[in-house]
Amino acid sequence: MMRISIFLFCLLISSASCSGSTTIKDTSAIDSEIAEKESENVVNGGLVYFANSKLPDDIAIQNPYIMGALYTIYWSEVEREKGEYDWSEVDKFFKNWTSAGKKVGIRVIWISTGLWPHEVARHPAPEWLWKDGAKYHYDEKTKTEIPLFWDPIYNEHALRLMRAIYDRYGKDPNFLFVSSTPGYETFPCHPRTAEVNPNFFEEFAQTKDSQGRAYSPELWQKTVKEWIFAVSAIYKEALAFVSLNRGGLSPKEDYFQLFGEYAVEANAIVGQNGIKASSYLNANGGRYKLFKEWKKKVPVFQEMALASGNEERQVGTLMGVMEAAVRIDTDYLNVYAIDVLKGTKGYKDYDPTYEEALKFGYEKLQLKK
């Protein structure tokens, strides 16, 4: 079974998603044994509901074109005390969706930013972790604790959480997949923090972990590779996915292809956050070619940049996003909650054009399997 200057930097981040701008390198060295197993694996793809706690899941569950949901958790909320897990909210969500014949995927938010509206985003990791010796960078401007993902103490306990998630949900036939993405979309920190703190990247780069190590490209590459393989080993009987981005701290660091190849070698689903109506129009684009090549070996998972119609990110219409997903031949498409609701009969703002788009995506991405 198949698994998966600062202003300039911010511009690079916002323009990189699904742009096809990555320079492609030869991928023939990726483990050939994975390719040989392709014919033995079955991929059941489709549209995934990106759950939002402020929106009514009970309506979205009824949508016939959605195959499941992606549920997001914060470590600081599920393990407030070391070794003591509170699965109550996850269990409730899992039961509601799976009892309706849907599947559920899980993503842990490891690194966030205080610019997000919910308070927990300022404290994504549990407090006991710092008492155990793990280190973090504190950004005063956003009041955010930013874990050093490469810290061995942090890493050890984070992997323990991933095992706990697998033990509770990973063997359930209705478990869809888990995110094995390290950091924030393979970044060591959330880049938006620099929008309010012009010195953020320099300050973050000087913060040392429990072994006295500060960020370096070599350390980050090693950390990402080891994490992806460690999680994939835990979930070898289930699916894990890696959501890619440029991945480094400096604008000169572009590890999109490198980290993607790590994921493929580990037999994890490979994907990206940022698909919109204008994505993948260039069949000669670097990322277009990478995903087409990777898809020969593992499933592909694409995530919407934001809800359809968002003007800042120029997401475009929901049908436009679906067409982009078909162009890249993705297996899974993570759809914003409000887009699913608008396409579901019974929702107060139901719009038949949204339902048409969801039906199109369902027919092209799921029925074709």
Side-chain angles (χ1 to χ4, degrees):
M1 178 175 59
M2 296 168 57
R3 304 271 220 260
I4 87 172
S5 68
I6 291 182
F7 176 68
L8 265 180
F9 184 53
C10 292
L11 284 179
L12 283 166
I13 300 305
S14 62
S15 63
S17 293
C18 305
S19 64
S21 60
T22 296
T23 301
I24 189 168
K25 304 172 186 176
D26 181 16
T27 61
S28 60
I30 298 176
D31 194 350
S32 60
E33 292 183 6
I34 297 176
E36 293 173 2
K37 294 180 180 179
E38 180 184 3
S39 61
E40 303 174 8
N41 296 310
V42 177
V43 177
N44 297 312
L47 303 180
V48 180
Y49 172 79
F50 187 20
N52 184 326
S53 60
K54 296 182 179 180
L55 294 172
D57 289 344
D58 58 329
I59 295 178
I61 291 174
Q62 301 170 28
N63 193 293
Y65 307 122
I66 300 298
M67 57 93 67
L70 180 60
Y71 187 76
T72 300
I73 63 176
Y74 279 91
W75 188 1
S76 57
E77 291 187 326
V78 299
E79 194 182 1
R80 290 184 173 87
E81 299 295 332
K82 183 178 178 180
E84 297 180 12
Y85 301 105
D86 179 3
W87 302 115
S88 56
E89 291 300 315
V90 191
D91 284 349
K92 179 181 177 181
F93 187 91
F94 202 94
K95 180 180 179 180
N96 287 345
W97 279 80
T98 58
S99 62
K102 309 285 188 178
K103 295 183 180 294
V104 174
I106 295 175
R107 167 188 275 148
V108 180
I109 297 293
W110 303 112
I111 292 175
S112 50
T113 173
L115 295 175
W116 290 352
H118 30 299
E119 176 62 27
V120 67
R122 296 181 176 182
H123 313 280
E127 186 177 353
W128 59 260
L129 196 59
W130 318 136
K131 296 178 181 178
D132 265 23
K135 302 298 181 180
Y136 64 93
H137 175 81
Y138 184 74
D139 180 66
E140 182 64 38
K141 293 286 187 180
T142 61
K143 310 297 182 184
T144 309
E145 296 171 351
I146 305 170
L148 304 183
F149 201 87
W150 61 87
D151 189 302
I153 298 175
Y154 178 95
N155 224 260
E156 175 188 354
H157 290 297
L159 277 175
R160 181 172 52 78
L161 175 63
M162 295 301 284
R163 291 190 191 96
I165 293 172
Y166 178 77
D167 289 343
R168 191 168 188 87
Y169 305 105
K171 300 172 186 178
D172 191 301
N174 292 308
F175 179 74
L176 183 57
F177 45 47
V178 71
S179 172
S180 57
T181 309
Y184 174 77
E185 294 180 7
T186 68
F187 286 115
C189 56
H190 197 298
R192 275 195 62 199
T193 308
E195 293 177 9
V196 294
N197 181 2
N199 298 317
F200 170 68
F201 293 122
E202 290 84 352
E203 293 168 356
F204 179 84
Q206 295 172 10
T207 307
K208 296 180 180 180
D209 72 357
S210 59
Q211 292 189 346
R213 302 173 303 172
Y215 174 88
S216 71
E218 297 76 18
L219 178 58
W220 185 238
Q221 291 173 39
K222 179 176 182 291
T223 299
V224 170
K225 182 175 184 178
E226 291 178 350
W227 174 265
I228 291 174
F229 276 86
V231 175
S232 292
I234 296 170
Y235 287 80
K236 59 184 177 182
E237 300 300 326
L239 291 172
F241 76 87
V242 177
S243 189
L244 300 168
N245 212 310
R246 296 179 64 85
L249 187 63
S250 163
K252 298 179 181 179
E253 297 173 72
D254 185 350
Y255 305 133
F256 187 92
Q257 181 175 351
L258 177 64
F259 292 169
E261 290 177 359
Y262 290 163
V264 173
E265 188 178 354
N267 208 23
I269 300 171
V270 65
Q272 181 179 9
N273 183 347
I275 193 169
K276 47 191 176 182
S278 60
S279 298
Y280 306 117
L281 291 170
N282 180 10
N284 293 315
R287 294 191 180 183
Y288 181 97
K289 290 183 176 180
L290 284 172
F291 279 120
K292 289 292 187 178
E293 181 66 24
W294 290 335
K295 186 176 168 61
K296 298 175 183 178
K297 306 172 181 68
V298 297
V300 171
F301 177 52
Q302 295 284 329
E303 303 185 63
M304 290 178 65
L306 280 173
S308 65
N310 181 278
E311 295 182 359
E312 180 183 358
R313 294 287 296 274
Q314 300 179 329
V315 178
T317 66
L318 184 59
M319 180 61 83
V321 172
M322 294 296 163
E323 292 170 345
V326 172
R327 282 196 295 273
I328 199 61
D329 194 21
T330 192
D331 294 286
Y332 300 95
L333 176 63
N334 200 27
V335 185
Y336 263 68
I338 190 62
D339 288 308
V340 173
L341 290 169
K342 286 182 177 181
T344 307
K345 290 183 175 69
Y347 183 60
K348 61 183 180 64
D349 294 323
Y350 167 74
D351 185 331
T353 63
Y354 281 73
E355 182 178 21
E356 180 184 359
L358 294 174
K359 181 180 179 182
F360 174 85
Y362 166 76
E363 291 174 344
K364 297 294 184 179
L365 302 180
Q366 185 168 342
L367 289 188
K368 71 172 185 178
K369 306 301 179 185

